[in-house]
Amino acid sequence: MVRQERALRTRRLILEAAASVFDEFGYEGATIGEVVSRAGVTRGAVYFHFASKRDLARGVVEEQFVQDGVPERNCKLQEFVDTGMVVAHLMPRDPLLSAGARLSLGQGVFEEFGGGAIPGWISRMEALLTTAGERGELLPHVVPADTAWLITAAWTGVQIQSQKLCGRADLELRVSGLFQHLMPSVAVPGVLGSLRMGPDRGARVVAEVAAARVAEEGGEAASAGARPRVEAVAGGVGVG
């Protein structure tokens, strides 16, 4: 178990280093040597986890879907908005997301990685919209697959323009504006009025997730600390 946890930590360390390299130099300019240097591991450790630079780039793209960044909501359209706003908040701060975007959209790289992260985001957003439709949150004309494709494309365009004009400094503001413009054509009035789509929404959700994780870890620690006492009492009863 300890060895497995160490391997997972090393893999994550390599992915984070690779993300910073891909984000800075692009796919063509990135080298395994630079990844080794930034990760502080051996070249053998990199090749143990990833067979090639291409495999490493795929790992960076796929890792963003492993992270649990958005809590499940009763209102699926709020979860839909939260997903877009959390990514907008993290994109300038998380090299894995930033590198994933660059690898997905770079010239000559898109075809090699089958669209990169884009198909995954479309699929995730479509699933949320489908559930929202089943719960009566969507206007009658909304087709989840079409809407997921269009909103993902619009989000991507906003991200590219924000990157070009100001290095993503206004990305949260612009994505908030995107949702405020588009959601009236998606959500039924009763749901639309309850949606939280402000520029600070992503930061609030990230803070919510962090607080929940701390509380969960504290509960597990308390449970682990209490367990020996329970076992001791049980042992005492058995002896008696």
Side-chain angles (χ1 to χ4, degrees):
M1 182 65 70
V2 172
R3 185 179 301 172
Q4 183 180 15
E5 290 177 355
R6 187 183 301 119
L8 289 173
R9 287 197 300 270
T10 300
R11 184 180 188 276
R12 175 72 184 191
L13 185 66
I14 293 168
L15 282 173
E16 289 176 348
S20 69
V21 174
F22 286 128
D23 199 29
E24 183 174 344
F25 298 106
Y27 180 75
E28 294 299 332
T31 65
I32 294 294
E34 184 64 24
V35 174
V36 167
S37 176
R38 295 195 186 190
V41 299
T42 65
R43 187 176 291 266
V46 172
Y47 283 117
F48 175 81
H49 291 279
F50 303 97
S52 63
K53 184 170 79 169
R54 184 183 185 197
D55 191 31
L56 187 54
R58 283 188 178 277
V60 169
V61 170
E62 292 168 0
E63 184 67 13
Q64 59 194 283
F65 298 109
V66 176
Q67 303 178 66
D68 183 18
V70 179
E72 186 174 352
R73 307 290 188 194
N74 291 328
C75 176
K76 287 300 164 180
L77 283 185
Q78 184 63 67
E79 191 174 336
F80 180 87
V81 171
D82 286 354
T83 299
M85 292 306 304
V86 164
V87 176
H89 175 72
L90 294 177
M91 183 72 76
R93 300 168 172 84
D94 185 345
L96 280 165
L97 282 172
S98 184
R102 179 163 184 173
L103 289 169
S104 299
L105 300 171
Q107 283 188 336
V109 180
F110 184 91
E111 295 81 4
E112 184 169 357
F113 294 113
I118 294 173
W121 286 118
I122 293 174
S123 178
R124 175 172 290 191
M125 300 306 254
E126 181 182 348
L128 288 171
L129 288 171
T130 298
T131 305
E134 293 168 352
R135 297 186 180 186
E137 299 176 15
L138 303 182
L139 292 168
H141 70 272
V142 174
V143 178
D146 294 344
T147 301
W149 195 100
L150 288 168
I151 290 184
T152 302
W155 196 106
T156 301
V158 168
Q159 188 273 139
I160 292 172
Q161 189 148 305
S162 176
Q163 169 68 21
K164 295 289 186 182
L165 295 178
C166 62
R168 300 195 186 111
D170 65 350
L171 183 56
E172 291 174 90
L173 176 66
R174 300 304 181 183
V175 172
S176 172
L178 173 68
F179 280 121
Q180 291 180 48
H181 276 78
L182 296 183
M183 294 311 289
S185 65
V186 174
V188 297
V191 172
L192 180 64
S194 69
L195 292 179
R196 299 174 183 176
M197 300 181 282
D200 65 342
R201 180 62 184 173
R204 289 178 178 273
V205 174
V206 169
E208 174 190 349
V209 171
R213 187 174 294 120
V214 168
E216 181 180 352
E217 291 172 353
E220 290 176 353
S223 177
R227 194 173 298 119
R229 290 194 295 272
V230 172
E231 290 171 352
V233 171
V237 172
V239 172

